[in-house]
Amino acid sequence: MTEYFDPKTQGGATSKSRRNFLKTVGASGVAAASTPLWAQTTQARAAETPEGDPVKASAPAPGMSRIQLNVNGVERTVDVAPQMVLLDVLRNELGLTGTKKGCDQGQCGACTVLVNGQAINSCLSLAISHQSDEITTIEGLERDGELHPVQQAFWEHDAFQCGYCTSGQIMSAVAVLNDDRIGQSDAAVREAMSGNICRCGAYKNILAAVQDARKTMKGGV
Amino acid sequence: MQSFELIRPESVKDAIGAQSERSAYIGGGTTLVDLMKLGVMQPDHVVDTNRLGLDEIEVLDDGRLKIGARVSNSRLATDARVERDYPVLSQALLSGASTGLRNMATTAGNVMQRTRCPYFRDPAKPCNKREPGTGCSAMDGINRNHAVLGTSEHCIATHPSDMCVAMAAIGATVVVEGRKGTREIPFEDFHLLPGDHPEREHDLRSDELITHVVLDAPLEGAVSTYLKLRDRASYEFALASCAAIVTLEGTKVTAARIALGGVATKPWRAVDAEAALVGEDATAKMFEQVALLAFQRAIPLEHNAFKVELGQQAIARALRDAVQQASQGEHQ
Amino acid sequence: MSETLNTQKPRIDGALKLSGGADYTADINLDGQLYGYPVGSAIASGELEGLELEEALGMPGVVDIFHHDNFDSTLKHSPNSFAEKNTVSEPRLPFEDTTIHYHGQYIALVVADTFEHARAAAQNVKGKYRANDQVTSQLDELDADNVAGLPGVLQEGDGQSRGEADAAYENAEVTLDHHYSIATETHAAMELHASTATWSGDHLTVYESTQGVVFQRHALSHVFSMPPEQINVISHFIGSGFGGKLFMWPHAIMTAVASRRLKRPVKTVVPRQSVFTSAGSRPRSMQRVRLGARADGTLTSIRHDGSNETAFVGMHNDTVISATPSMYACENVAVTNRVGEVNHGMPCPMRAPGEAPGLFALETAMDELAWQLEMDPVELRKKNFAERDPASDLPWSSNHLIECWDNAAKRFGWENRTAEIGAMREGDEIIGYGMASQSWEAMRLQCSARVTFLADGRLQVSCGTQDIGTGTYTIVAQTASELSGVPIEDIDVRLGDSSLPSGPLSGGSFATATVLPAVKAALDAATQALIDKVTQDGQAFSDVDSESIELNDRALTYGDRSIPVTTLLEELGIGQVTAEASAEPGDEKNDYSFRSFGAVFVEVRWDPGISRLKVERIVSTIDIGRAINPMTARNQVEGGLVMGLGMALFEQTEYDKSGYLYNANLADYIVPVHADIPPIDVELLDYPDYHLNAFGARGVGEIGLTGIAAAISNAVYHATGKRIRDLPISIERLLMAN
């Protein structure tokens, strides 16, 4: 029984994750590079073809509307009913389950994604209103198998426990670090991140990770 | 959330034309989508305002600031003119909700924000605001978060907005567009007291759409602050908040604007306190005195009596902090 | 030891969790899956006379609606036994009868083709009720002297009372008698409870967000009258539980029944409101503490009478007195707990059950005694330090509480404290210092594990426990790496699957102490299996005494001879060698008392002009034996402290007079957010406790949440002179207190 161990079906922590970690942890030169890999635009992943969007050749079913979204650099087409929120479309229609549902009411931040670079609560946003928007989810942060500096910093600082709020924390952190209207002090970061609840209470490490990632990113996205 | 039809007009005229008895406008969705999920609002038609433009902020010739209905809370809070001329508004906005929600929430949507009373938000509970005549569950229920000012025997729900409190203090006009044309509603008249009809929350006719909010010109040389008091340090609605704007001549107060949040059924202008303060020395003792006036007519209930004192504290401290800026030369 | 143990290791599941790749229950979608959406009762007490279903049944996508009249009548109750590993949270079966016991009690489950359709239809299912006039929304009467005639059931103190507490109290030079209360709290794990059930013939697979796959399997086995082997419960990643996901809830049964009836997978993600009403809470507790002491601070009597509310649908004793008999050297101690029923959803253990609420009362009382005696609160505790466990009269396995007090005091700067109330000020703020002791029982249970050497050099370790965020995946890998020499990146850890060798609940801070010895046993067994093969005739070590062969650096070695495991497997032509083994505690519990200890110091800032209280900083020194991974262990303590900050200042699940759960959401149930978090300094002492297990680890999940609420309330008193004995220390309590 030497079959490849697939975490998605068998559970557990894997070699893949570990190798990823070594690769990225070992890449201490990343920050010094003039054009860091992670600073490339989301279009970098456009070449990747999604496994196939859940859209039929025929017209949308009655009551459904067909919309195009640019998700993590990939053009996606999906039929949505008006009452479908972006969170559920990402998770249930597009298979991007990295974005989490913690309350479904805008009260926890677990569903935070970037829309045209801005952090929003995807649970309160009608999917149909996002025609042609650029949406970045947690799945869209890695570049060429390397974690984004914020993801990397979260790992090194153990800025999570259960991991459930983590996607939202990271997406908010990316937005915070790219928003020059938000101050750089610990207090400013804490305030700006306060819409992302971490019930495990890993807040101290999250703050450390965000501030550390700021240094790594040196102004890059 | 029940199904509905989304209408996406390209002009204000079409948007107004699309409005009906069973429709609702949507901006950022932070209130409407939430309430639709809860079954509190169940429109057949949702009219999307996101293709209507209305996203400019401009200074008018008379010095007033005209804010498009769709300007997001984040953008308004960090607009250079707002930060310079209306820092109290910027502070109020940034004290509300969270970064993500402020990115979504719009100016008009915030004006139209609905109460956070949990009984209102649960269709299974009696609520005069949601279903007139069914009774008020909060009156004899848990009313810690509820209002002590502007209440009626039918409703004690608090108006939740921070932005509106700042606007009430600054002075503003809500510009609406309807089938009969444009109407300008003074901000203090826009939100209605619950009275016998808590279901009527504002002076907006069924065909009308908010297109702009116009802030009064800033008071020359004024200092201001927004102070929000709540359980946790962020991401929570106010238990009591105060927007204070004052102008001074030496130590004397020459003008005062005091508005309250978290304690009243609408963004609450403390006019008695303002009147008492003008012409007086700007002292801590005086601030405490006028703060008492603001709550003279308060009607506390079982769980919210503390808001009377907390609200008074908010006023006194906000005034003190504002005046301290004057002595430190930080004019607005 | 060691390169891998007791060292800071980033989590091996980090990349999965940080990139959205970890599969939490609600992330799993099965072909042909339907969506369940529950409907909760609008009232808290009465009879359900009927349901309006027609409109909902006619709505788009609705497949079926399950309720009392059409539910499965063949279901049986789980025996609800911890020893048999089939405990359930709520013993009552879903839809079992038409009596309504609490607001939010499930009255129907709508099943539809999409989530949106299920939710829309659920909103149109309306119950017709006959509400009782009498609703027991809270039971203040529990808080009394635990004498006859009071409501509820008296739980004696587990035989841990000793001496003559009442007589000693009467004769004490100094006495204190105070009442304390703690509001109902809710776990509010970020991940919503979720269950996906699918049947294949007579085999049931349940994907569940659970802290105990084995317990749920056994419970389902009883409910469905099926052998456990035909049931598998899977929980690869859990968005934490804090006790709320220890034992099965009714939504899982509803979902499995729906799936069986409809012959399709059904996924139910419990909405947040239902998580509040119907998936557990730490029950409201009331406590009376009486202390007697000599003028020099020596305790002569401790009487701790606790009480907690439970639900009409089940008994939950929250044992708030559990730590008291062991905390201080005192000859006369009496403890009781009384439990009474209210119309609430079923309570259950919540992180540090017993100790978190109990130590709030006891450690606040100790502070009050220190003030009465005009003694430094640290000195009072030192004066009463228990050299051995006074409850069991056994020696401690390891106890460095004095060092915790000293170190934490030093790191905090306790010597800068001006004892006088309100004497320390800065600007508008008054500064308060407070401290408390921390403690949690250390436990170890039986556990099995499996270790497999793979031909490609990798090592697979499997155990039917879970990683709820504590870092179990990582410490299992660290341990296997340490013991086998296989680099940690070449170790695969499989958890969260009830078909794996039986592992413990992820709760009670006992998973680490329980699982790691089993990992070692399984590795030893697998190594022995390799040795058996390598010593067979014709194999490399056929001439060697098998007892002299060792596993070193991924190779079997004898003297200077060595054969890599991969080479051996290749030569043998087999893909793997696997072995399963169990480990269980011995009789060490007869020889030692096992507890973890800590001290927590807090600075608060009180701005009386605006009634604003904030925690300015927290320092804690913790004695948990050896931390296998100090990085994840420290994170656990910090998380406990944050939850304790919430417990002290914010958290209360509020039921109104009608039993309605008023704040069943994350906006109105206030938990700490980023902006509330002060600098936190946690020091982990490193005194391995080898009496408990070979790794010296005692577990770390709960202790951070003990003592912290008392430390905060004590600091509040120092700042304000207001002694708030009721949690949370809300703004109104601070405003109204004298």
Side-chain angles (χ1 to χ4, degrees):
Chain A
M1 198 180 94
T2 56
E3 83 279 5
Y4 173 64
F5 176 66
D6 180 4
K8 286 298 272 191
T9 56
Q10 298 180 29
T14 70
S15 52
K16 177 180 175 291
S17 62
R18 191 64 203 166
R19 279 196 286 268
N20 246 358
F21 173 68
L22 291 179
K23 184 177 170 188
T24 48
V25 159
S28 55
V30 163
S34 56
T35 311
L37 282 173
W38 41 261
Q40 294 169 12
T41 66
T42 52
Q43 270 66 32
R45 277 167 65 105
E48 289 181 26
T49 312
E51 286 169 16
D53 288 329
V55 169
K56 296 91 198 160
S58 56
M64 304 288 274
S65 301
R66 183 158 297 170
I67 58 168
Q68 283 77 39
L69 308 170
N70 184 306
V71 185
N72 299 328
V74 181
E75 293 297 332
R76 306 292 299 262
T77 302
V78 61
D79 291 349
V80 298
Q83 72 268 30
M84 290 164 78
V85 295
L86 181 59
L87 170 62
D88 292 326
V89 168
L90 289 170
R91 289 179 53 81
N92 298 338
E93 308 300 318
L94 300 177
L96 294 168
T97 55
T99 305
K100 303 303 185 199
K101 180 182 287 189
C103 69
D104 224 6
Q105 292 181 290
Q107 300 171 349
C108 79
C111 67
T112 305
V113 300
L114 305 187
V115 173
N116 303 326
Q118 285 213 313
I120 66 145
N121 297 57
S122 63
C123 72
L124 291 185
S125 194
L126 298 180
I128 196 170
S129 66
H130 288 288
Q131 169 66 38
S132 301
D133 279 345
E134 280 190 20
I135 292 155
T136 310
T137 71
I138 189 71
E139 292 93 343
L141 292 181
E142 279 186 56
R143 295 285 174 274
D144 301 327
E146 288 198 13
L147 296 179
H148 186 281
V150 174
Q151 293 172 306
Q152 187 65 44
F154 266 62
W155 204 351
E156 289 166 12
H157 289 273
D158 206 36
F160 59 99
Q161 289 178 24
C162 79
Y164 199 81
C165 74
T166 307
S167 301
Q169 300 280 356
I170 289 174
M171 299 316 292
S172 279
V174 169
V176 163
L177 291 171
N178 284 310
D179 190 339
D180 56 18
R181 299 171 301 184
I182 295 170
Q184 301 195 0
S185 68
D186 287 355
V189 172
R190 281 198 178 105
E191 171 57 37
M193 297 280 294
S194 279
N196 291 88
I197 293 173
C198 172
R199 185 59 163 158
C200 294
Y203 292 119
K204 173 185 169 180
N205 293 354
I206 294 171
L207 176 68
V210 174
Q211 297 294 40
D212 200 29
R214 183 194 303 284
K215 292 177 211 151
T216 316
M217 288 164 68
K218 285 180 183 163
V221 177
Chain B
M1 180 155 53
Q2 303 303 306
S3 65
F4 56 84
E5 190 185 334
L6 188 79
I7 302 169
R8 311 199 69 188
E10 306 273 348
S11 71
V12 170
K13 185 163 173 287
D14 287 349
I16 294 161
Q19 184 70 317
S20 70
E21 277 290 294
R22 301 264 316 148
S23 75
Y25 288 114
I26 189 167
T30 53
T31 294
L32 182 64
V33 175
D34 183 25
L35 291 177
M36 286 196 296
K37 283 183 177 182
L38 294 168
V40 172
M41 294 178 78
Q42 300 194 356
D44 293 334
H45 296 88
V46 172
V47 183
D48 188 352
T49 61
N50 286 299
R51 295 179 176 179
L52 304 181
L54 304 177
D55 56 355
E56 300 289 319
I57 304 173
E58 52 183 319
V59 182
L60 301 180
D61 292 343
D62 56 7
R64 297 187 303 156
L65 192 72
K66 186 177 180 186
I67 304 159
R70 282 191 51 248
V71 172
S72 75
N73 285 180
S74 292
R75 217 184 111 211
L76 186 58
T78 54
D79 181 89
R81 292 156 293 188
V82 172
E83 287 180 331
R84 184 190 66 213
D85 297 336
Y86 308 98
V88 67
L89 176 60
S90 181
Q91 290 164 19
L93 283 161
L94 292 175
S95 75
S98 66
T99 310
L101 292 169
R102 292 193 297 268
N103 287 340
M104 304 167 75
T106 63
T107 304
N110 197 309
V111 170
M112 296 294 287
Q113 193 178 3
R114 307 198 68 184
T115 184
R116 303 295 301 192
C117 172
Y119 298 110
F120 167 76
R121 290 167 57 80
D122 184 345
K125 301 301 288 184
C127 171
N128 289 324
K129 186 183 279 297
R130 182 170 22 79
E131 273 182 89
T134 54
C136 173
S137 299
M139 202 69 80
D140 190 40
I142 293 173
N143 43 47
R144 176 181 194 250
N145 295 335
H146 292 73
V148 293
L149 293 169
T151 55
S152 77
E153 59 183 307
H154 304 292
C155 184
I156 54 174
T158 313
H159 194 274
S161 169
D162 294 296
M163 181 193 84
C164 289
V165 176
M167 287 181 172
I170 291 165
T173 306
V174 182
V175 183
V176 304
E177 192 82 26
R179 292 196 179 101
K180 291 179 183 164
T182 306
R183 210 156 60 94
E184 297 198 352
I185 308 169
F187 197 84
E188 59 266 35
D189 298 338
F190 184 84
H191 297 100
L192 304 178
L193 292 172
D196 292 336
H197 291 283
E199 76 278 11
R200 295 183 201 156
E201 297 178 348
H202 46 72
D203 181 30
L204 198 63
R205 293 173 196 148
S206 63
D207 64 315
E208 286 178 331
L209 169 70
I210 297 174
T211 58
H212 300 87
V213 175
V214 183
L215 301 183
D216 290 358
L219 288 178
E220 188 75 26
V223 287
S224 69
T225 200
Y226 186 74
L227 177 65
K228 182 173 180 178
L229 304 178
R230 48 186 160 182
D231 297 299
R232 67 185 174 197
S234 185
Y235 202 21
E236 188 187 354
F237 293 90
L239 289 170
S241 72
C242 177
I245 307 172
V246 292
T247 58
L248 296 160
E249 220 172 270
T251 59
K252 288 260 188 291
V253 176
T254 50
R257 307 270 187 80
I258 300 167
L260 303 174
V263 295
T265 52
K266 59 175 274 185
W268 192 261
R269 192 74 179 263
V271 288
D272 293 347
E274 292 174 0
L277 189 57
V278 173
E280 300 292 337
D281 266 340
T283 62
K285 194 162 175 236
M286 181 53 62
F287 299 152
E288 282 164 22
Q289 274 179 26
V290 304
L292 295 179
L293 287 177
F295 285 85
Q296 257 181 340
R297 295 195 196 95
I299 302 174
L301 294 158
E302 185 179 356
H303 305 112
N304 67 0
F306 74 101
K307 283 188 171 183
V308 173
E309 192 173 345
L310 193 69
Q312 290 163 353
Q313 291 184 332
I315 294 172
R317 179 62 65 84
L319 286 168
R320 189 205 74 177
D321 286 354
V323 168
Q324 269 181 3
Q325 290 169 23
S327 62
Q328 291 158 5
E330 293 173 28
H331 290 255
Q332 83 171 15
Chain C
M1 305 191 210
S2 79
E3 289 181 12
T4 17
L5 294 185
N6 196 29
T7 50
Q8 309 222 39
K9 287 283 172 191
R11 293 167 195 255
I12 66 166
D13 53 347
L16 282 173
K17 285 185 172 177
L18 294 164
S19 62
D23 57 335
Y24 299 84
T25 300
D27 301 340
I28 290 163
N29 291 306
L30 303 176
D31 285 343
Q33 160 186 295
L34 299 169
Y35 293 80
Y37 199 98
V39 181
S41 166
I43 66 165
S45 178
E47 279 294 309
L48 180 66
E49 296 191 314
L51 289 165
E52 292 173 24
L53 296 172
E54 253 177 57
E55 187 183 353
L57 280 167
M59 289 177 67
V62 173
V63 177
D64 207 345
I65 299 176
F66 293 84
H67 51 89
H68 172 71
D69 291 337
N70 70 0
F71 205 59
D72 193 327
S73 60
T74 67
L75 301 185
K76 298 197 166 49
H77 292 118
S78 173
N80 202 14
S81 154
F82 191 89
E84 294 167 22
K85 301 185 181 179
N86 56 31
T87 315
V88 293
S89 290
E90 181 172 330
R92 181 182 174 276
L93 293 166
F95 316 140
E96 180 171 340
D97 52 42
T98 55
T99 304
I100 299 295
H101 305 278
Y102 59 91
H103 168 224
Q105 178 182 320
Y106 297 132
I107 57 171
L109 179 77
V110 175
V111 181
D113 60 346
T114 67
F115 168 72
E116 286 81 3
H117 285 149
R119 177 175 60 190
Q123 278 178 353
N124 285 315
V125 174
K126 300 275 190 296
K128 286 177 280 187
Y129 307 96
R130 185 165 45 77
N132 289 338
D133 295 334
Q134 281 291 345
V135 177
T136 312
S137 182
Q138 60 180 51
L139 205 50
D140 294 338
E141 299 88 331
L142 283 172
D143 180 28
D145 300 341
N146 285 291
V147 293
L150 287 170
V153 179
L154 184 65
Q155 321 279 319
E156 293 293 348
D158 302 313
Q160 297 202 348
S161 299
R162 58 182 182 265
E164 297 292 336
D166 290 345
Y169 180 83
E170 293 303 324
N171 296 325
E173 292 170 17
V174 181
T175 61
L176 163 161
D177 179 359
H178 292 302
H179 292 257
Y180 304 85
S181 76
I182 302 170
T184 307
E185 296 176 81
T186 301
H187 309 73
M190 296 311 298
E191 181 196 22
L192 300 164
H193 289 246
S195 191
T196 295
T198 184
W199 293 78
S200 172
D202 58 2
H203 194 108
L204 168 65
T205 301
V206 172
Y207 297 86
E208 179 80 39
S209 178
T210 176
Q211 296 173 245
V213 290
V214 170
F215 271 64
Q216 180 151 350
R217 173 196 235 186
H218 289 148
L220 284 168
S221 155
H222 286 282
V223 170
F224 285 95
S225 305
M226 289 162 61
E229 297 72 33
Q230 289 176 16
I231 299 169
N232 196 20
V233 179
I234 296 171
S235 201
H236 294 158
F237 290 95
I238 300 98
S240 208
F242 311 113
K245 295 173 181 167
L246 283 170
F247 311 119
M248 184 167 71
W249 291 99
H251 69 261
I253 301 173
M254 285 156 45
T255 304
V257 167
S259 174
R260 182 159 71 176
R261 181 91 51 88
L262 300 172
K263 299 184 166 51
R264 289 171 70 177
V266 175
K267 170 154 89 176
T268 303
V269 178
V270 180
R272 181 54 75 181
Q273 183 185 5
S274 295
V275 171
F276 272 90
T277 58
S278 315
S281 60
R282 188 200 303 279
R284 178 162 171 263
S285 60
M286 288 151 285
Q287 305 176 59
R288 181 182 183 188
V289 177
R290 277 168 280 187
L291 300 179
R294 286 200 280 271
D296 69 356
T298 306
L299 285 167
T300 55
S301 174
I302 301 174
R303 182 164 187 107
H304 188 173
D305 296 304
S307 64
N308 70 265
E309 295 171 343
T310 190
F312 281 104
V313 292
M315 172 68 183
H316 170 75
N317 178 0
D318 210 44
T319 64
V320 298
I321 41 69
S322 55
T324 301
S326 296
M327 284 302 289
Y328 295 107
C330 176
E331 288 174 4
N332 305 292
V333 176
V335 297
T336 62
N337 196 52
R338 179 175 288 271
V339 183
E341 293 159 331
V342 291
N343 287 109
H344 297 179
M346 187 65 204
C348 66
M350 179 168 160
R351 198 173 193 177
E355 265 80 340
L359 286 184
F360 163 67
L362 182 65
E363 288 296 293
T364 306
M366 286 295 282
D367 195 72
E368 301 196 57
L369 183 63
W371 279 96
Q372 258 177 264
L373 295 165
E374 297 183 2
M375 248 180 114
D376 181 306
V378 180
E379 290 310 312
L380 175 64
R381 286 166 174 82
K382 283 187 171 178
K383 181 92 189 165
N384 293 286
F385 175 72
E387 297 283 352
R388 54 200 277 128
D389 183 352
S392 61
D393 199 29
L394 291 172
W396 300 112
S397 61
S398 175
N399 179 338
H400 300 84
L401 178 55
I402 291 173
E403 190 172 335
C404 292
W405 285 325
D406 286 343
N407 283 21
K410 188 159 186 239
R411 291 164 88 100
F412 181 83
W414 183 253
E415 75 274 13
N416 300 325
R417 168 178 177 264
T418 305
E420 188 191 338
I421 287 167
M424 299 161 68
R425 284 173 182 264
E426 185 177 321
D428 292 327
E429 295 177 337
I430 305 173
I431 297 166
Y433 284 3
M435 61 81 58
S437 303
Q438 303 175 279
S439 185
W440 178 254
E441 185 182 3
M443 290 165 276
R444 180 185 162 192
L445 305 171
Q446 189 273 344
C447 178
S448 301
R450 182 164 61 229
V451 164
T452 305
F453 286 98
L454 296 166
D456 63 0
R458 304 180 65 76
L459 190 73
Q460 192 176 85
V461 188
S462 307
C463 179
T465 185
Q466 311 68 219
D467 187 337
I468 57 170
T470 51
T472 308
Y473 276 122
T474 305
I475 60 166
V476 166
Q478 285 177 258
T479 303
S481 173
E482 169 74 16
L483 298 175
S484 68
V486 175
I488 196 166
E489 59 267 26
D490 286 340
I491 292 175
D492 297 331
V493 182
R494 294 182 63 184
L495 310 174
D497 188 325
S498 68
S499 67
L500 300 174
S502 179
L505 295 167
S506 298
S509 295
F510 51 67
T512 298
T514 297
V515 172
L516 298 191
V519 171
K520 180 178 188 311
L523 181 69
D524 289 346
T527 304
Q528 189 57 50
L530 286 173
I531 291 170
D532 290 348
K533 293 194 186 305
V534 81
T535 52
Q536 285 169 1
D537 285 346
Q539 293 302 322
F541 289 174
S542 58
D543 56 330
V544 168
D545 173 14
S546 65
E547 293 195 357
S548 306
I549 300 172
E550 291 179 343
L551 179 70
N552 281 318
D553 195 20
R554 319 174 83 168
L556 295 178
T557 59
Y558 173 76
D560 55 2
R561 292 163 62 187
S562 170
I563 178 168
V565 173
T566 50
T567 308
L568 175 65
L569 293 178
E570 194 182 328
E571 286 177 4
L572 289 166
I574 55 176
Q576 66 179 49
V577 168
T578 190
E580 190 173 321
S582 296
E584 58 190 1
D587 52 10
E588 64 271 12
K589 275 197 91 165
N590 299 330
D591 301 328
Y592 299 100
S593 181
F594 297 92
R595 292 194 79 86
S596 288
F597 303 94
V600 58
F601 288 70
V602 170
E603 176 182 332
V604 299
R605 298 291 182 113
W606 166 242
D607 185 339
I610 51 173
S611 302
R612 179 178 281 170
L613 177 71
K614 66 179 179 195
V615 175
E616 185 75 4
R617 60 197 176 94
I618 303 173
V619 175
S620 171
T621 297
I622 296 282
D623 170 26
I624 48 157
R626 167 147 289 179
I628 302 302
N629 186 340
M631 189 184 221
T632 51
R634 189 174 289 109
N635 201 342
Q636 282 300 303
V637 178
E638 289 164 359
L641 293 169
V642 168
M643 196 173 270
L645 189 155
M647 175 185 182
L649 302 184
F650 309 137
E651 295 186 33
Q652 53 181 333
T653 311
E654 298 176 273
Y655 300 86
D656 74 11
K657 296 181 191 84
S658 72
Y660 177 76
L661 207 174
Y662 168 86
N663 60 342
N665 62 74
L666 288 174
D668 294 306
Y669 182 83
I670 307 293
V671 299
V673 296
H674 276 283
D676 295 304
I677 307 306
I680 300 173
D681 171 18
V682 170
E683 178 193 25
L684 302 177
L685 300 182
D686 183 29
Y687 294 104
D689 190 344
Y690 294 122
H691 293 305
L692 191 63
N693 57 64
F695 301 90
R698 278 203 299 260
V700 68
E702 333 280 326
I703 191 165
L705 182 48
T706 69
I708 171 72
I712 291 172
S713 81
N714 296 340
V716 167
Y717 179 74
H718 183 222
T720 66
K722 299 167 193 272
R723 182 61 78 175
I724 313 290
R725 299 188 183 93
D726 304 290
L727 297 186
I729 304 170
S730 59
I731 290 172
E732 56 266 47
R733 283 185 169 138
L734 285 162
L735 259 175
M736 303 299 180
N738 295 317

